Amino acid sequence: MSVTEQPPVPEHGTDDSARAALEDRISADSLTTRRDYLRIVTTVSGGLAVGGIAVAGGVLHRHGDIDGAPDAKQVTDRLAPGESIAFSYPGEDDRAVAVRLTDGSLVGYSAVCTHLACGVLWRKDRGSEGELYCPCHEGVFDARTGEVTAGPPPRGLPKVLLVEKADGSVWAVATARSGESPQDAVCREFAGLQPAARAQLGCPVATGANGGRNQRT
């Protein structure tokens, strides 16, 4: 046989070659998939860690961080019991959620978890009143109060103060920080109100010319 001649390829050789090539391809794809997976996990984990540090250090935007009193904003024309609606207030970056509880009560909260700033969702079918839930780390907030009931969030959700007009429309009018009462929130945000208006709201007023202790009127 000359050097230019090739021995005949056995019929089963084609199948063996194809199988070997397929196995090589699967191995390569599996390696690529594992590498991609590890890269994604590392990136996400690093992002969550950085996000947590930023939130703790006050670097990231906190709900309702605006100068002066916010403008009132219509949230929806009507909200039925057991339903919710997502909206932004007071700024476009301030994600919020309004919920009508089954007894007709109207509540509003920041939709940003106080743990690592993940989005908070309304789950209507949980318990007798539903719940606000953060899927990132299983954080759960009470639907009526916004307080933490499970998971790692360090504090309750900031409130969005809502009012309902005679025509059934729902409006956002102010925001309250975690643990702040609605009255204190309104007094803080509308600090520039005239004395008579502040008195009507029961806001604190200075009693002395030298910065005496505040008291409610």
Side-chain angles (χ1 to χ4, degrees):
M1 180 182 297
S2 67
V3 294
T4 57
E5 294 177 342
Q6 300 295 326
V9 178
E11 292 183 1
H12 66 276
T14 301
D15 293 339
D16 290 344
S17 298
R19 186 180 299 107
L22 179 59
E23 290 175 353
D24 289 343
R25 177 62 183 275
I26 291 173
S27 297
D29 287 347
S30 298
L31 180 60
T32 300
T33 301
R34 288 195 296 272
R35 285 174 178 169
D36 289 344
Y37 174 77
L38 291 173
R39 175 176 55 79
I40 292 170
V41 169
T42 301
T43 301
V44 171
S45 299
L48 290 175
V50 172
I53 293 172
V55 169
V59 175
L60 296 183
H61 175 80
R62 292 183 183 275
H63 194 99
D65 281 349
I66 62 171
D67 295 326
D71 294 329
K73 178 179 179 179
Q74 183 173 353
V75 175
T76 182
D77 291 335
R78 192 172 299 274
L79 195 61
E83 299 300 323
S84 69
I85 186 169
F87 62 102
S88 296
Y89 185 82
E92 291 303 315
D93 294 329
D94 296 311
R95 291 172 290 165
V97 59
V99 179
R100 174 84 74 178
L101 301 178
T102 53
D103 67 355
S105 300
L106 192 62
V107 293
Y109 302 102
S110 165
V112 179
C113 183
T114 55
H115 181 219
L116 289 178
C118 292
V120 172
L121 309 174
W122 163 246
R123 300 205 295 190
K124 177 181 177 179
D125 58 343
R126 294 303 180 103
S128 60
E129 293 188 313
E131 69 181 17
L132 294 157
Y133 169 72
C134 176
C136 288
H137 300 94
E138 304 293 322
V140 181
F141 302 88
D142 184 272
R144 186 171 290 276
T145 66
E147 295 303 314
V148 181
T149 59
R155 58 188 180 279
L157 293 171
K159 293 180 174 65
V160 176
L161 309 185
L162 304 175
V163 297
E164 184 175 18
K165 293 190 175 182
D167 61 1
S169 62
V170 177
W171 292 71
V173 295
T175 61
R177 297 165 180 163
S178 296
E180 185 179 36
S181 71
Q183 184 178 23
D184 287 342
V186 170
C187 291
R188 171 178 54 80
E189 292 191 346
F190 294 87
L193 291 174
Q194 295 296 322
R198 290 179 60 81
Q200 280 187 321
L201 293 172
C203 296
V205 295
T207 58
N210 296 322
R213 183 174 298 177
N214 289 346
Q215 65 180 17
R216 295 192 181 281
T217 56

